[in-house]
């Protein structure tokens, strides 16, 4: 199986910028960016990020506002913050060199067992498996493994099992599974088994039960949150505020939003305001679903709260990082 996979990878590998010169930093950045995000989306972000911050030292020194701006649109912003924290840690604890010991790598902020395995295998050639959703899917089909892939125990067992068979070309092996999982043994839809280099040994394929794998328990329902977003314009400037004290999207900017909005109460305070209802939207996060109603409000003046400010559209796009949940409303302005 290992040999077939490596041969397939030599012919079909995806050409990705971090594969040309897989330094620990390049692999780290790419792995963090690719979490929960499609590779096609990541590519322009990766290029821009590496041009601006080509070394760990650059990342460690980058001001947070600028870092979040570089990350704007990628989502899951804590990933960027954790990377900066880890880069500072590498500068102080490892003299700026990415560590090559598994426990040291794992001690860095934002790096879990999967990412540590990916970096150490791809950049250092160390024999660690990198078990993510792709690997779990491919090998639960390949071995007809009935364990629940949502369980940590299953991940641990899969890692152990794979580490018994890893070849010397461990980086290629891990990347081959990533590519196979993304292009052949796909998560949604029917896998392309007739093109798969593992088909002659794949238990699920040989037993015609591919669609029964992987086994996965139901995840808990997302928390539903309802809000009304207010796009308040005052002389072509818009009210925004920084998200504080909230773990999700902390430090990013947002339009003002309230649980419930009463146009008549607003008009009592600002009688000359013009208020229009705009398109409602739904934004889905991993654990939350936001139902966002929207009003556009144009007025002559507004009493700003301490954490609010008025900015132009240009300032908004150049200076302030706004997560997609809110920037989607920009087209309403
Ligand atoms: S043969 Fe089909 S199910 Fe088995 S690993 Fe390949 S693509 Fe996946």
């Amino acid at each position: 199986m290992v040999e077939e996979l490596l041969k397939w990878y030599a012919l079909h590998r995806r050409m990705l910028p971090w594969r040309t010169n897989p330094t620990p930093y390049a692999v780290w950045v790419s792995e963090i960016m690719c979490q929960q995000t499609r590779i096609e989306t990541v590519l322009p972000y990766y290029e821009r990020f590496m041009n601006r911050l080509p070394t760990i030292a650059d990342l460690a020194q980058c001001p947070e506002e600028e870092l979040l701006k570089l990350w704007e649109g990628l989502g899951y912003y804590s990933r960027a913050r954790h990377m900066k924290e880890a880069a500072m840690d590498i500068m102080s604890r490892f003299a700026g060199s990415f560590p090559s010991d598994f426990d040291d790598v794992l001690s860095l902020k934002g790096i879990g067992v999967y990412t540590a395995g990916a970096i150490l295998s791809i950049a250092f050639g160390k024999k660690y498996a990198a078990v993510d959703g792709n690997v779990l899917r491919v090998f639960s089909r390949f071995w007809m493994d009935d364990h629940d892939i949502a369980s940590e125990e299953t991940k641990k067992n899969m890692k152990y099992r794979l580490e018994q068979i890893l070849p010397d070309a461990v980086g290629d092996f891990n990347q081959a599974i990533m590519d196979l999982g993304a292009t052949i043994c796909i998560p949604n839809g029917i896998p392309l088994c007739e093109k798969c280099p593992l088909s002659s040994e794949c238990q699920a394929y040989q037993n015609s039960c591919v669609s029964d794998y992987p086994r996965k328990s139901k995840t808990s329902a997302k928390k539903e949150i309802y809000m009304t977003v207010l796009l308040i314009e005052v002389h072509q400037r818009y009210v925004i505020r920084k998200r504080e004290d909230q773990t999700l999207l902390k430090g990013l900017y947002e339009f003002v939003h309230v649980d419930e909005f009463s146009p008549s109460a607003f008009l009592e305070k600002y009688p000359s305001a013009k208020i229009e209802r705009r398109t409602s939207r739904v934004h889905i996060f991993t654990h939350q679903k936001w139902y966002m109603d929207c009003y556009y409000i144009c007025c002559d003046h507004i009493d700003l709260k301490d954490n609010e400010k008025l900015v132009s559209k240009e300032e908004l796009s150049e200076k302030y990082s706004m997560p997609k949940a809110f920037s989607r409303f920009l087209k309403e302005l």
Side-chain angles (χ1 to χ4, degrees):
M1 173 266 281
V2 173
E3 222 166 278
E4 282 76 19
L5 191 62
L6 290 175
K7 271 190 211 153
W8 175 85
Y9 182 66
L11 288 173
H12 301 284
R13 56 189 283 161
R14 291 176 294 179
M15 294 302 168
L16 301 170
W18 49 89
R19 288 183 175 173
T20 319
N21 178 20
T23 64
Y25 180 57
V27 177
W28 177 33
V29 173
S30 69
E31 285 297 336
I32 299 293
M33 282 190 171
C34 286
Q35 286 169 7
Q36 322 273 356
T37 313
R38 289 164 53 83
I39 282 199
E40 297 70 35
T41 308
V42 163
L43 288 173
Y45 283 93
Y46 177 84
E47 298 285 359
R48 195 162 53 121
F49 191 94
M50 294 304 270
N51 282 338
R52 166 64 189 89
L53 307 172
T55 66
I56 294 172
D58 294 318
L59 173 58
Q61 287 162 12
C62 182
E64 182 167 307
E65 296 262 316
E66 188 183 348
L67 182 64
L68 294 177
K69 196 70 198 159
L70 280 170
W71 206 268
E72 189 179 47
L74 261 186
Y76 306 100
Y77 290 82
S78 55
R79 292 181 295 174
R81 269 196 221 96
H82 291 167
M83 280 184 72
K84 178 179 157 76
E85 209 176 302
M88 290 163 68
D89 202 10
I90 294 171
M91 296 308 291
S92 64
R93 281 205 291 146
F94 305 105
S97 290
F98 201 97
S100 58
D101 173 80
F102 188 83
D103 290 334
D104 286 340
V105 177
L106 206 55
S107 73
L108 297 169
K109 187 85 179 174
I111 296 190
V113 173
Y114 163 79
T115 309
I119 298 169
L120 288 170
S121 61
I122 298 168
F124 293 96
K126 293 200 165 187
K127 288 198 176 181
Y128 288 101
V131 178
D132 67 349
N134 278 328
V135 175
L136 287 164
R137 182 174 59 258
V138 171
F139 283 101
S140 39
R141 286 170 176 167
F142 185 78
W143 282 319
M144 268 177 72
D145 188 322
D146 286 311
H147 291 98
D148 175 8
I149 61 161
S151 120
E152 279 306 314
E153 203 52 36
T154 306
K155 268 185 216 166
K156 268 191 213 155
N157 289 339
M158 190 73 84
K159 184 171 180 322
Y160 176 78
R161 212 168 163 185
L162 281 170
E163 284 177 352
Q164 310 310 305
I165 58 166
L166 287 177
D168 289 340
V170 58
D172 283 357
F173 178 85
N174 283 343
Q175 291 178 100
I177 305 172
M178 290 173 195
D179 284 13
L180 192 82
T183 61
I184 303 282
C185 199
I186 50 179
N188 304 310
I190 301 163
L192 313 176
C193 299
E194 46 316 318
K195 291 189 179 170
C196 178
L198 309 185
S199 59
S200 64
E201 293 175 76
C202 175
Q203 297 288 307
Y205 181 61
Q206 293 300 327
N207 288 287
S208 308
C209 57
V210 168
S211 59
D212 293 340
Y213 293 88
R215 310 266 200 219
K216 191 177 180 187
S217 59
K218 293 244 177 314
T219 48
S220 53
K222 292 179 193 294
K223 186 177 175 192
E224 298 190 331
I225 292 177
Y226 294 82
M227 66 176 79
T228 302
V229 176
L230 305 178
L231 307 172
I232 305 174
E233 177 175 342
V234 182
H235 303 303
Q236 296 184 330
R237 293 164 78 78
Y238 304 90
V239 181
I240 61 167
R241 67 186 180 196
K242 194 171 190 174
R243 286 175 70 83
E244 312 274 5
D245 306 328
Q246 300 173 76
T247 317
L248 186 65
L249 309 175
K250 186 179 170 202
L252 301 174
Y253 287 84
E254 63 181 7
F255 292 115
V256 175
H257 55 88
V258 291
D259 293 344
E260 282 182 36
F261 177 65
S262 158
S264 53
F266 192 91
L267 284 168
E268 257 177 43
K269 189 168 180 193
Y270 301 101
S272 62
K274 192 177 91 184
I275 301 178
E276 290 169 11
R277 182 87 197 236
R278 293 292 168 87
T279 316
S280 300
R281 294 175 193 276
V282 177
H283 195 85
I284 298 173
F285 298 93
T286 315
H287 302 296
Q288 293 187 9
K289 195 168 180 182
W290 288 5
Y291 293 89
M292 308 169 88
D293 284 341
C294 177
Y295 283 90
Y296 164 78
I297 301 169
C298 185
C299 41
D300 292 336
H301 81 282
I302 189 92
D303 298 328
L304 292 174
K305 297 200 176 116
D306 287 350
N307 62 341
E308 295 172 348
K309 57 173 85 185
L310 277 165
V311 298
S312 67
K313 259 194 201 175
E314 291 69 35
E315 286 173 315
L316 199 48
S317 71
E318 284 160 22
K319 222 168 132 194
Y320 298 98
S321 309
M322 184 169 265
K324 206 179 244 166
F326 291 98
S327 66
R328 297 164 81 199
F329 290 100
L330 281 169
K331 62 175 75 129
E332 303 285 351
L333 300 178

